[in-house]
């Protein structure tokens, strides 16, 4: 396999996903990080990395013409971005909307997968 044949989109998305997973697993071992006058747990940064991974995936896969994969990443990215922004902005409504988007997207994907197996 030639280096020029490697698709960078999954590598970039995967790197941010790995970062999100690493930060999530590091939570019990790392002290909260001071941000302004607050101390933010490391797990919060894992949610940011996950949102970035999904949002980047939506853009990169759309540019490559992978519309369905881009849509799936976009919906999940929107949901996780709202889940991150809700607490940052102090808005329970934005957080709840993000939760609804993530759960709704997961239910839709499950239903489509189930329907495709029949």
């Amino acid at each position: 396999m030639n280096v020029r044949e490697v698709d960078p989109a999954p590598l970039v998305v995967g790197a941010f996903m790995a970062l999100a997973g690493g930060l999530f697993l590091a939570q019990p071992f790392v002290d909260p990080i001071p941000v302004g006058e607050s101390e933010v747990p490391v797990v919060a940064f894992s949610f940011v990395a996950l949102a970035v991974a999904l949002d980047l995936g939506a853009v990169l896969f759309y540019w490559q013409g992978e519309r369905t994969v881009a849509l799936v990443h976009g919906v999940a990215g929107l949901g996780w971005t709202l889940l991150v922004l809700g607490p940052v902005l102090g808005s329970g409504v934005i957080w709840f909307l993000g939760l609804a988007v993530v759960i709704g997207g997961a239910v839709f994907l499950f239903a489509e997968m189930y329907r495709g197996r029949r």
Side-chain angles (χ1 to χ4, degrees), residues 3-15 56 60-61 64:
V3 174
R4 295 173 206 229
E5 296 174 12
V6 175
D7 183 7
L11 295 177
V12 171
V13 173
L56 269 175
L60 293 173
F61 291 120
Q64 292 181 341

Side-chain angles (χ1 to χ4, degrees), residues 16 23 26 34 42 56 65-67 72 74-77 79 88-89 93-95 97-98 102 111-112 115:
F16 275 99
L23 289 169
V42 172
L56 269 175
E66 298 285 340
R67 305 286 192 256
V72 169
V75 169
V88 169
L89 299 176
V93 173
I94 293 174
W95 180 86
L97 183 61
V102 169
E112 286 297 307
R115 199 169 67 154

